[in-house]
């Protein structure tokens, strides 16, 4: 598919074909409670894992006394770092010890693991382990970690394994990753010198937890053939297999990862924790070992969104056009880089400060930094949520300073066809102007009079659609069903339903005839996992291609068994049609029964959309408007109205698509107003969901989503992504609305009432 | 959670006897919405759990002949908020019960359990303080009554003895025409503990003279807090917006909030004043007036 521009699909026809609301393939199992999640798995002889974690943010382990734990009745194994060293895990860089053996690097780092008959015994025994620590100076602030004299947090970094490739050299030992993109003038200062005015602002964003319902869970056992079986909540099972192979030294063929139903992901299920320790416990005991995190475990020590400090600087010329833009984005990476899958070990979404604008000269620098805090990971639009808040607040502040309407200023500078993105990306179909103009129309921007203390804010963003390579296998079964075998787990997005609908549409059969089977890493063809908004795109295209091949084969076989010339039988509306149709239709099941008597009717198809070089990339654009009322005495922000204008391709699962857009918006609202995983002296202070607040139904304003369809999405039938889009611009739109309502500018998330109140008191003097 | 022995007494004296027998090793369990969480987090690790669920005598609400009411300690929040006796007695009290958590929690959590938990961020305690509630505590030597503001000692600490059981919340009659209000300020999310909560009642005489006033705040101190300095400043005064504003400022020195995710101490102190003034202004405007 690469290097070839796609012919525009017959868009309206395709859209009509998918207009009926989908029936979820797994719906019945879920609503009847029959869907079995990892935490529901119970195996004969199974033991439970319990862990002891470090209460110190940075310390050497002097000694560990496990005698009491070993003596606890019901305990089968007690492991410490000495038993697993040098096993480390990670998605790209393996820097996180399965159990710490020499030093602990954050509060929550695991130092011992127990396998016992029950969870209670395992936890009790873990508590009985005594550890002597010798404290080391702890570093919580990335700026401090980057000082020349700063203590090196990972003295053995050169020994860490790096999956697929080699790690680029870094200018400071406490850097996890570094990424610099420059465009236009190689000396950005020269470009700034040509600007009429230059604006500089610094923004701060907090850690956030994904807030999925299902905590991480795992069951691991080793069968008599020495095959390691892993039941996991990981949304990228083939990646986990590769990671486990690297951690354990086993060949990947000896590891089978089975990611069944997953109860929410939002990026957090890309990194596994328990699977590694459970493997060592299973090896030590010869029994299956299960671990299920509590929500306190989740909040204390998994892989939240990175806290960030973003320093932005932008120059505009006399005509209010952007001349130069510089971003220095520093992410607090926490104790380990294990949660980051990209080779650069940064969230490249951090580059997206001005994602929807034409900027001729840019210097975008993104760093992830080791500190003694909970390790950061990927979370819905990783990096871009932070960059989008900063960039779109910054743009609004500039517009205000220039005395320009914020919509007009954005439109003036929006990406247009032929423009490169700010990081130099070629963009297939820039729709920034379209979404902004539609936002203006839909909201009566500049026309509608607002009541006192009300204000409106807008934001715009572009986010790329993920690629990668995946395959599916389709097979006609004896019961006249068509099985599609895939390796991608459905973490709730509706991916498997999408596969069914696409395959059924291509084949022209009843969707109920298509059965989607998710295989394990042993039975399914390779798949890179759910994430990066790639699934609709690549799995959808693989299903589409496979279904086309199968249709061809079915029609040929049907001609054969019905004794007609090749090419005279078509599969149409769930039956086989002969010639011009005057000879009647044959029921699918009847013909299928005869076709399956011979060799297996099976096809495989691969879709490869691995991005290469300067080929145009696919993006979704979106624009946000939020209207707020601000209580001047308290700083409380009340959301009055919200409009989301969004660039969509052909919508394949109408209910799930809407759910992604609206749900993403609410996800963004949580980040805007309440979500914050604070760390004090290295310790996360919100260890339950009563303290770590997520939005509830009562917190939501009326939200209107306006879709602007295009035929040019890279997915099947021109589909685009929907998962990591609508959350990006909520926070800046709210911040801009607050500034509009009350004149108070808040540059730190979340926009708590107190922060707004403080900003108000600053302007009141 | 550590394993424990579950005990289920059939009567209050039996519950008291179990308290005496097991002392510190035992913990009472009513609705369990707070206790079970504390147990799951290992913050409370009882060897014995004495469940009060079989004490049906403590599950009723009844009007007293004099216009006051009695609420059994095991009445759920949901029962209390929907009770006509409670609504007729004081609409703001029903409101305070209705603001606790979610309906699922309110169907389970009990009025007595809420008070015994002694979390200063809970909704009902300030309102009950403003209504001069007294508690009936059953012990080995019979019953004693304790005014609610003497019951709260510190964060999660009460005057309930180790061998006592809270059985009844008693609310005295209110003067006809009493106005009442409960305001909960939870700006992070509608489903949250209060950053600041204000409960107040007011009885005005001729010329808007304040005959009797009660003011109590939640989430601003180690205990749900009655603010008598404001009450004194208002009592006997003809109430005007200015008088109310000035009296509300006295809250600043009365409260001792802590920094947490719901706000810094200084913000909570400021909000305590803002919301006190708002509550009193509502009362002045006639909020929650009882039909005479």
């Amino acid at each position: 598919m690469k290097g070839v521009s796609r012919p525009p699909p017959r868009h309206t026809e395709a859209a009509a074909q998918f207009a009926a609301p989908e029936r979820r393939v797994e719906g019945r199992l879920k609503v009847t409670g029959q869907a079995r999640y990892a935490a529901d798995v119970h195996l004969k002889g199974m033991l439970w894992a319990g862990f002891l974690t470090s209460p110190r943010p940075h310390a050497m382990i002097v000694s560990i006394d496990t005698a009491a734990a070993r003596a606890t009745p019901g305990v089968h194994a007690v492991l410490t770092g000495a038993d697993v060293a040098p096993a480390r895990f990670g998605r790209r860089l393996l820097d996180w010890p399965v159990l710490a053996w020499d030093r602990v690097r954050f509060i929550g780092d695991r130092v011992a693991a127990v396998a016992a008959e029950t969870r209670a015994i395992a936890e009790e025994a873990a508590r009985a382990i005594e550890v002597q620590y010798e404290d080391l100076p702890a570093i919580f602030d990335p700026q401090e970690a980057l000082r020349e004299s700063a203590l090196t947090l990972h003295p053995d970094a050169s020994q860490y394994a790096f999956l697929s490739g080699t790690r680029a050299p870094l200018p400071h030992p406490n850097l996890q990753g570094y990424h610099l993109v420059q465009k236009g003038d190689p000396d950005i200062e020269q470009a700034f010198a040509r600007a009429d005015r230059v604006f500089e602002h610094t923004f701060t964003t907090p850690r956030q937890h994904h807030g999925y319902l299902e905590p991480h869970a795992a069951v691991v056992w080793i069968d008599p053939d020495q095959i390691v079986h892993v039941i996991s909540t990981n949304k990228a099972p083939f990646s986990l297999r590769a990671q486990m192979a690297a951690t354990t030294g086993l060949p990947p063929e000896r590891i089978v990862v089975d990611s069944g139903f997953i109860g929410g992901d939002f990026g957090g299920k890309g990194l596994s924790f328990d699977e590694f320790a459970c493997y060592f416990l299973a090896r030590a005991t010869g029994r299956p070992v299960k671990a299920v995190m509590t929500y306190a475990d989740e909040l204390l020590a998994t892989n939240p969104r990175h806290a960030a400090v973003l320093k932005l600087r932008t120059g505009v010329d006399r005509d209010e056009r952007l001349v130069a833009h510089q971003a220095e984005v520093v992410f607090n990476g926490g104790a380990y880089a294990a949660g980051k899958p990209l080779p650069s070990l940064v969230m490249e979404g951090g580059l997206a400060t001005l994602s929807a604008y034409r900027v001729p000269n840019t210097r975008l620098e993104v760093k992830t930094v080791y500190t003694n805090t909970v390790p950061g990971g990927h979370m819905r639009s990783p990096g871009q949520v932070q960059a989008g808040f900063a960039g779109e607040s910054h743009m609004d502040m500039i517009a205000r300073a220039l005395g320009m309407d914020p919509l007009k200023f954005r439109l003036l500078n929006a990406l247009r066809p032929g423009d490169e993105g700010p990081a130099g990306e070629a963009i297939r179909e820039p729709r920034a102007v379209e979404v902004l103009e539609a936002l203006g129309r839909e909201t009566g921007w500049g026309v509608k009079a607002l009541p006192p203390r009300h204000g409106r804010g807008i934001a715009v963003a572009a986010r790329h659609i993920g690629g990668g390579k995946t395959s599916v296998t389709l097979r006609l079964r004896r019961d006249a069903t068509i099985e599609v075998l895939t390796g991608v787990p459905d973490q709730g997005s509706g991916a498997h339903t999408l596969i069914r609908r696409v395959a059924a549409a291509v084949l022209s059969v009843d969707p109920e005839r298509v059965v989607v089977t998710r295989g394990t890493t042993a039975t399914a063809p390779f798949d890179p996992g759910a994430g990066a908004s790639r699934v609709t795109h690549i799995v959808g295209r693989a299903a589409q291609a496979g279904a086309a091949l199968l249709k061809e084969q079915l029609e040929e076989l049907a001609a054969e068994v019905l004794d007609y010339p090749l090419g005279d039988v078509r599969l149409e509306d769930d039956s086989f049609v002969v010639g011009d149709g005057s000879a009647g239709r044959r029921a699918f099941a009847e013909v299928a029964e005869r076709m399956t008597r011979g060799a297996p009717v099976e096809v495989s198809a691969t879709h490869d959309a691995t991005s290469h070089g300067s080929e145009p990339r696919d993006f979704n654009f979106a624009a946000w408007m939020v209207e707020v009322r601000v209580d001047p005495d308290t700083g409380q922000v009340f959301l009055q109205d919200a409009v989301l204008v969004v660039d969509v391709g052909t919508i394949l699962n109408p209910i799930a698509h809407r759910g992604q857009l609206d749900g993403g918006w609410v996800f963004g609202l949580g980040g805007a107003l309440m979500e914050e995983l604070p760390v004090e002296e290295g310790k996360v202070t919100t260890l339950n969901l009563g303290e770590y607040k997520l939005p509830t139904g009562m917190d939501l304003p009326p939200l209107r989503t306006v879709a602007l369809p295009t035929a040019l999405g890279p997915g099947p039938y021109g589909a685009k992504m929907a998962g990591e889009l609508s959350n990006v611009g909520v926070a800046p739109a709210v911040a801009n609305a607050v500034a509009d309502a009350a004149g108070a500018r808040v540059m730190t998330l979340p926009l708590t009432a107190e922060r707004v109140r403080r900003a108000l008191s600053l302007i009141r003097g | 959670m550590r394993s424990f022995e579950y005990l289920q007494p059939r009567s209050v004296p039996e519950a008291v006897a179990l308290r005496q027998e097991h002392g510190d090793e035992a913990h009472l369990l009513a609705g369990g919405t707070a206790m079970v969480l504390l147990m799951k987090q290992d913050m409370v690790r009882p060897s014995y759990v004495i469940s009060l669920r079989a004490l049906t005598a403590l599950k009723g609400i009844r009007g007293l002949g004099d216009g006051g009411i009695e609420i059994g300690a095991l009445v759920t929040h949901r029962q209390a908020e929907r009770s006509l006796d409670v609504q007729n007695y004081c609409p703001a009290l029903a409101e305070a019960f209705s603001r606790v958590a979610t309906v699922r929690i309110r169907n389970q959590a009990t009025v007595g359990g809420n008070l015994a938990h002694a979390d200063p961020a809970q909704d009902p305690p300030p309102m009950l303080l403003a209504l001069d509630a007294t508690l009936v505590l059953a012990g080995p030597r019979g019953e004693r009554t304790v005014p609610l503001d003497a019951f709260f000692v510190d964060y999660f600490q009460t005057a309930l003895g180790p061998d006592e059981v809270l059985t009844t919340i008693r609310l005295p009659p209110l003067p006809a025409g009493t106005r009442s209000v409960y305001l909960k300020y939870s700006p992070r999310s509608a489903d949250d503990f209060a950053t600041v909560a204000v409960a107040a009642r007011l009885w005005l005489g001729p010329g808007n003279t304040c005959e009797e006033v009660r003011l109590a705040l939640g989430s601003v101190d180690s205990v749900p807090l009655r603010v008598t300095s404001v009450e004194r400043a208002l009592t006997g005064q003809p109430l005007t917006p200015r008088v109310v504003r000035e009296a509300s400022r006295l809250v600043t020195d009365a409260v001792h909030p802590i920094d947490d995710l719901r706000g810094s101490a200084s913000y909570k102190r400021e909000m305590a004043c803002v919301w006190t003034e708002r509550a009193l202004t509502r009362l002045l405007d006639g909020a929650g007036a009882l039909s005479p």
Side-chain angles (χ1 to χ4, degrees), chain B residues 61-63 67-71 77 79-98 123-133 170-183 198-203 214 283 287-291:
Chain B
I61 298 170
R62 64 189 188 99
I69 59 168
E70 267 188 10
I71 303 175
H77 286 66
Q79 247 180 297
E81 80 186 70
R82 291 167 65 99
S83 154
L84 285 180
D85 284 324
V86 172
Q87 286 169 16
N88 290 335
Y89 171 73
C90 173
L93 178 59
E95 166 76 10
F97 285 123
S98 79
D123 299 288
M127 198 65 234
L128 291 167
L129 279 176
L131 295 168
D132 295 338
R170 216 170 258 166
L171 294 159
L174 299 172
T178 292
R179 302 167 182 192
S180 62
V181 70
Y182 179 72
L183 297 181
V198 181
R201 81 176 152 93
L202 176 67
W203 180 34
R214 288 287 183 280
L283 293 180
L290 291 172
S291 42

Side-chain angles (χ1 to χ4, degrees), chain B residues 78 81-82 98 100-109:
Chain B
R78 185 70 173 149
E81 80 186 70
R82 291 167 65 99
S98 79
V100 173
T102 65
V103 72
R104 272 85 56 198
I105 298 290
R106 295 200 299 279
N107 271 323
Q108 178 68 19

Side-chain angles (χ1 to χ4, degrees), chain A residues 120 124 127 631 633-634 636 674 678 686 688 690-691 693-694 696 698-699 753-754 757, chain B residues 41-42 45 185-192 261-264 267 270-271 274-275 278:
Chain A
E124 197 73 39
R127 268 196 295 269
D631 181 335
D633 298 323
T634 64
Q636 188 173 8
M674 63 193 84
T686 50
N688 62 65
E691 294 300 305
K693 291 311 287 186
L694 298 161
T696 70
M698 295 183 287
D699 298 314
E754 182 169 5
R757 178 77 188 89
Chain B
Q41 293 170 14
D42 275 324
R45 308 186 70 204
Y185 178 52
S186 62
R188 276 205 306 180
S189 166
D191 173 26
D192 199 359
L261 284 163
R262 293 173 184 87
S264 67
Y267 179 69
E270 187 190 350
M271 289 305 105
V274 168
W275 286 93
R278 287 181 178 186

